[in-house]
């Protein structure tokens, strides 16, 4: 009986499965489809509280949060450009993954890895809202909310030994809140050097995965494990403050070079200079400057009727790039009337100097530095100078200098004690960026007047504007930190034509430099005194040698 029952079971299994499949096929093919009903569209005001709570997650962020703006125009742009963006992005994915796949060929009996199908589908991402943030730095910061319920077709063909395995990614859904920063802003197209991307929240990524036709995400527990793993991996790489930097321009060619040290120049003397005056003498003085520096040249005093002058005068010049900058020395004969005659010149590349090392140069004066012309055989005399390049405290490690006597660092931040602050010369740099809401009673042609230690500096005049942008830098070489010192900045307006009211004050501000000395930098906006709504943006830096 047991043998007979087993035989009947086998017969039922063999004939039952094909019969069931055949009946199911005919039912599926010849059965009538139900009529699909049109969805009911109702105003939100007619919905109950429970229905509204279910809809809240789907409401765009620009509705819930006023500082986010809707960008329908950008979504329309993405929709029209998506067929071309799809091909471009897929080509980047192929070229990027090709060397990665090549590393695994030959390992674990893998013979080949290639994309059988690669397309992101016909549905582009949707930007649900965008917010632009204002900062005091030269950058543009944007925050977006991106949703993508795409229909990609990504099929990866993996050949392992004699097996051919296909891995397919389907039903991809992504929700992310990225912060995109364009920095630094530069005057070279496309006007920013790099793109910095970070995520404000852990992204939500949902997808289905089929291996050789089977949906492995249906395995109990695997779906949640994959979700959490993706969130952790992406968060560890790109969740703020972690960032992804995408270079756009070569920063070395577009970035504004910042001061890295001070060149101490001692103009000692000159020998056997040319006789330029009618009485057989000259009135020499020396002009010295660095190439690539827009500041006016430094000058020595004039030595009357002297062909062998001794100056022993010391100067300090700000160095931005010691590898490319050159010190220019020009000797002139002072004339009371007319242009001053040039006695000779000489150049000294700063790359010849070692940091902190004092070096004396005795140089033959030349007519000019044009190497294509035949050098003049007429001797023009010699000049003797003494040079020392001293890097700033924060840049001393770049030049392999001795860091003794400098403040220690904790967590990347300079820790400066009060005793250390009291000593050391340095460079005070004041950058007047812009002003806002400055308005005069008679005219609006604003310019800024900076006063420090009795010395006045002026920006250029901006005509007919309440929002002038100067972006001008002023530098002050100081023998000691400017503790208990203040900078006075006044916004003035100048009438184009002469009158008794040709100048008018639009507001002023006094900035205490104590915080600048201790922090190294202050980049802030200040309300103007005697101005209704006026503000000024000033960037102040203190660098110690």
């Amino acid at each position: 009986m047991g043998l007979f029952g087993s035989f009947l079971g086998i017969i039922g299994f063999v004939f039952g499965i094909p019969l069931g499949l055949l009946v199911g096929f005919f039912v599926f093919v010849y059965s009538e489809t139900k009529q699909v009903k049109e969805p009911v569209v109702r105003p939100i005001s007619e919905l109950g509280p429970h229905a509204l709570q279910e809809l809240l997650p789907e409401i765009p962020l620009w509705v819930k949060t006023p500082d986010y703006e809707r960008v329908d125009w950008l979504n329309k742009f993405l929709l029209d450009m998506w067929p071309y963006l799809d091909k471009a992005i897929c080509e980047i994915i192929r070229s990027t993954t090709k060397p990665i796949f090549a590393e695994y060929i030959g390992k674990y009996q893998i013979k080949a890895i290639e994309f059988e199908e690669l397309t992101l589908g016909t549905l582009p991402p949707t930007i649900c809202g965008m917010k632009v943030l204002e900062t005091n730095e030269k950058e543009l910061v944007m925050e977006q909310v991106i949703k993508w319920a795409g229909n990609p077709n990504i099929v990866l063909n993996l050949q392992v030994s004699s097996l051919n395995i296909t891995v397919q990614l389907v039903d991809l859904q992504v929700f992310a809140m990225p912060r995109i920063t364009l920095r630094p802003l530069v005057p070279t197209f496309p006007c920013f050097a790099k793109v910095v991307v970070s995520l404000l929240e852990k992204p939500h990524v949902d997808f289905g995965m089929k291996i050789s036709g089977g949906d492995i995400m249906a395995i109990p527990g695997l779906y949640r494990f994959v979700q959490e793993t993706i969130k952790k991996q992406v968060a560890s790489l790109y969740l703020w403050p972690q960032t992804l930097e995408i270079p756009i321009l070569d920063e070395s060619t577009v970035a504004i070079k910042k001061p890295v040290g001070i060149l101490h120049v001692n103009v000692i003397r000159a020998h056997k200079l040319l006789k330029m005056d009618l009485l057989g003498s000259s009135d020499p003085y020396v002009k010295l400057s660095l190439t690539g520096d827009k500041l006016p040249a430094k000058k020595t005093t004039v030595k009357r009727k002297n062909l062998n002058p001794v100056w022993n005068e010391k100067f300090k010049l700000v160095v931005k790039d010691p590898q490319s900058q050159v010190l220019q020395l020009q000797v002139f004969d002072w004339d009371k009337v007319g242009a001053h005659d040039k006695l000779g010149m000489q150049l000294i590349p700063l790359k010849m100097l070692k940091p902190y090392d004092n070096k004396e140069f005795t140089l033959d004066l030349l007519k000019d530095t044009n190497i294509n012309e035949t050098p003049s055989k007429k001797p023009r005399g010699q000049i003797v100078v003494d040079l020392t390049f001293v890097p700033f405290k924060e840049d001393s490690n770049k030049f392999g200098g001795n860091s003794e006597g400098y403040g220690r660092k904790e967590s990347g931040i300079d820790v400066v004690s009060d005793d250390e602050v009291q000593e050391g010369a340095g460079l005070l740099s004041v950058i007047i960026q812009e002003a806002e809401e400055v308005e005069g009673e008679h005219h609006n042609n604003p310019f800024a007047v900076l006063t420090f230690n009795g010395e006045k500096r002026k920006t250029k005049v901006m005509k007919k504007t309440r929002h002038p942008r100067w972006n001008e830098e002023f530098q002050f070489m100081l023998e000691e930190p400017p503790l208990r010192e203040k900078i006075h900045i006044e916004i003035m307006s100048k009438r184009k034509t002469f009158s008794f009211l040709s100048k008018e004050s639009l507001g002023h501000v006094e900035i205490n430099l104590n915080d600048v000395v201790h922090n190294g930098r202050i980049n802030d906006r200040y309300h103007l005194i005697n101005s209704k709504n006026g503000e000024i943006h000033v960037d102040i830096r203190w660098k110690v040698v």
Side-chain angles (χ1 to χ4, degrees):
M1 189 68 181
L3 181 62
F4 182 71
S6 300
F7 178 74
L8 291 178
I10 294 173
I11 294 298
F13 179 78
V14 171
F15 290 98
I17 290 180
L19 183 62
L21 292 175
L22 184 63
V23 172
F25 173 76
F26 278 99
V27 171
F28 177 77
V29 171
Y30 293 104
S31 61
E32 294 183 0
T33 58
K34 296 181 180 180
Q35 186 68 25
V36 179
K37 296 181 180 180
E38 291 291 334
V40 179
V41 180
R42 299 170 59 188
I44 294 180
S45 58
E46 296 181 5
L47 298 178
H50 297 290
L52 285 175
Q53 289 180 358
E54 294 179 357
L55 285 176
L56 280 178
E58 302 301 326
I59 294 178
L61 200 62
W62 57 266
V63 177
K64 297 183 288 187
T65 309
D67 55 349
Y68 277 84
E69 299 180 1
R70 58 186 301 180
V71 284
D72 294 341
W73 64 271
L74 186 55
N75 289 323
K76 181 63 169 60
F77 172 80
L78 285 175
L79 180 62
D80 294 341
M81 288 292 296
W82 186 246
Y84 308 98
L85 290 173
D86 177 23
K87 294 180 180 180
I89 294 173
C90 290
E91 187 61 32
I92 294 175
I93 294 175
R94 288 182 185 273
S95 60
T96 304
T97 56
K98 188 174 181 180
I100 299 176
F101 291 163
E103 295 179 0
Y104 289 93
I105 295 178
K107 299 179 181 179
Y108 313 108
Q109 297 184 352
I110 297 176
K111 295 183 178 180
I113 307 176
E114 59 182 1
F115 285 105
E116 185 176 322
E117 296 286 344
L118 180 57
T119 175
L120 300 181
T122 59
L123 303 176
T126 300
I127 302 177
C128 302
M130 179 182 293
K131 178 170 64 174
V132 179
L133 305 179
E134 292 186 1
T135 68
N136 291 333
E137 305 296 335
K138 294 181 179 180
E139 62 185 12
L140 178 62
V141 183
M142 299 172 289
E143 294 181 358
Q144 302 90 16
V145 179
I146 299 177
K147 290 183 180 180
W148 185 29
N151 55 347
N153 185 20
I154 304 175
V155 181
L156 187 66
N157 193 0
L158 180 65
Q159 188 175 354
V160 181
S161 187
S162 59
L163 298 176
N164 192 15
I165 304 173
T166 58
V167 180
Q168 184 179 12
L169 184 69
V170 295
D171 300 331
L172 179 63
Q173 297 184 24
V174 178
F175 176 80
M177 296 183 65
R179 172 181 287 175
I180 299 177
T181 305
L182 310 180
R183 72 157 76 116
L185 300 180
V186 294
T188 303
F189 191 80
C191 299
F192 54 90
K194 61 184 176 181
V195 179
V196 182
V197 183
S198 60
L199 296 175
L200 301 179
E201 295 181 1
K202 290 183 179 180
H204 174 75
V205 182
D206 190 7
F207 60 90
M209 182 177 292
K210 296 181 179 181
I211 296 182
S212 298
D215 188 2
I216 65 168
M217 302 304 289
I219 299 176
L222 181 61
Y223 174 77
R224 182 176 295 275
F225 172 76
V226 172
Q227 288 282 324
E228 294 300 324
T229 302
I230 292 176
K231 286 184 179 181
K232 289 180 180 179
Q233 290 298 323
V234 175
S236 63
L237 294 175
Y238 306 121
L239 187 64
W240 191 88
Q242 304 295 332
T243 60
L244 169 66
E245 294 190 359
I246 305 173
I248 304 297
L249 298 174
D250 185 2
E251 289 194 59
S252 62
T253 60
V254 299
I256 300 176
K257 294 180 179 179
K258 299 178 181 179
V260 296
I262 294 177
L263 178 66
H264 295 260
V265 183
N266 183 13
V267 182
I268 302 176
R269 58 185 175 272
H271 300 294
K272 300 179 181 179
L273 297 178
L274 292 178
K275 302 175 182 179
M276 303 299 291
D277 295 340
L278 295 176
L279 300 178
S281 185
S282 293
D283 304 319
Y285 70 94
V286 182
K287 288 178 64 176
L288 52 155
S289 61
L290 288 174
T291 56
D293 195 351
K294 298 181 181 179
L295 297 177
K298 307 282 187 178
K299 296 181 182 180
T300 66
T301 56
V302 178
K303 298 297 182 180
R304 302 279 184 172
K305 299 179 181 181
N306 196 334
L307 299 180
N308 299 284
V310 177
W311 287 286
N312 250 335
E313 297 182 17
K314 298 179 180 180
F315 303 90
K316 295 177 182 178
L317 303 177
V318 178
V319 178
K320 295 183 178 179
D321 187 2
Q323 293 300 315
S324 63
Q325 284 187 292
V326 176
L327 175 65
Q328 296 179 332
L329 299 168
Q330 301 180 79
V331 184
F332 289 89
D333 173 40
W334 182 85
D335 288 325
K336 192 172 184 178
V337 180
H340 300 176
D341 298 322
K342 189 175 181 180
L343 299 177
M345 68 172 299
Q346 192 51 270
L347 303 176
I348 304 177
L350 298 191
K351 61 183 179 181
M352 299 175 59
L353 304 176
K354 293 182 179 180
Y356 309 104
D357 288 348
N358 182 271
K359 192 171 184 179
E360 185 176 295
F361 293 86
T362 301
L363 306 170
D364 294 326
L365 293 175
L366 306 176
K367 181 180 179 181
D368 52 46
T369 58
N370 190 350
I371 60 176
N372 295 324
E373 293 185 3
T374 304
S376 176
K377 296 181 180 180
K378 185 178 180 180
R380 292 179 170 270
Q382 293 181 324
I383 187 171
V384 181
V385 294
D386 185 79
L387 306 180
T388 307
F389 171 57
V390 182
F392 290 126
K393 173 182 174 180
E394 59 190 70
D395 300 301
S396 59
N397 293 331
K398 299 178 184 178
F399 305 100
N402 186 6
S403 60
E404 292 182 2
Y406 293 91
R408 57 191 175 90
K409 282 191 175 183
E410 292 181 0
S411 303
I413 302 175
D414 286 339
V415 179
V416 184
S417 66
D418 291 338
D419 294 336
E420 290 173 324
V421 167
Q422 299 296 333
E423 301 176 358
L427 173 70
L428 180 67
S429 173
V430 182
I431 304 175
I432 301 179
Q433 301 278 12
E434 61 180 344
E436 294 183 356
E437 299 293 339
V438 289
E439 185 173 4
E441 295 182 2
H442 304 92
H443 41 78
N444 284 320
N445 301 310
F447 65 97
V449 180
L450 185 152
T451 306
F452 177 67
N453 280 348
E455 185 177 355
K456 286 189 176 183
R457 306 281 184 90
K458 297 181 181 180
T459 66
K460 57 180 177 288
V461 178
M462 308 298 289
K463 297 181 180 179
K464 296 182 179 181
T465 179
R466 296 169 56 196
H467 307 280
R469 291 182 175 231
W470 296 288
N471 194 23
E472 294 189 32
E473 181 177 4
F474 303 97
Q475 297 174 346
F476 301 90
M477 298 295 306
L478 305 177
E479 294 297 331
E480 58 183 15
L483 291 172
R484 295 177 296 277
E485 298 283 350
K486 293 183 179 180
I487 282 183
H488 181 88
I489 302 176
E490 185 173 11
I491 308 298
M492 304 287 294
S493 179
K494 184 178 182 180
R495 188 186 293 273
K496 292 185 292 184
T497 58
F498 175 78
S499 69
F500 291 103
L501 298 175
S502 60
K503 291 184 180 181
E504 179 182 352
S505 177
L506 307 182
H508 68 275
V509 65
E510 284 192 350
I511 304 173
N512 196 321
L513 298 179
N514 189 60
D515 291 339
V516 180
V517 173
H518 284 87
N519 299 324
R521 182 192 182 195
I522 288 182
N523 185 16
D524 206 350
R525 295 178 181 269
Y526 300 89
H527 290 282
L528 293 172
I529 302 173
N530 295 334
S531 176
K532 185 176 180 181
N533 298 313
E535 286 186 349
I536 186 170
H537 180 196
V538 185
D539 186 358
I540 309 176
R541 303 169 188 258
W542 168 250
K543 288 193 173 185
V544 182
V545 296

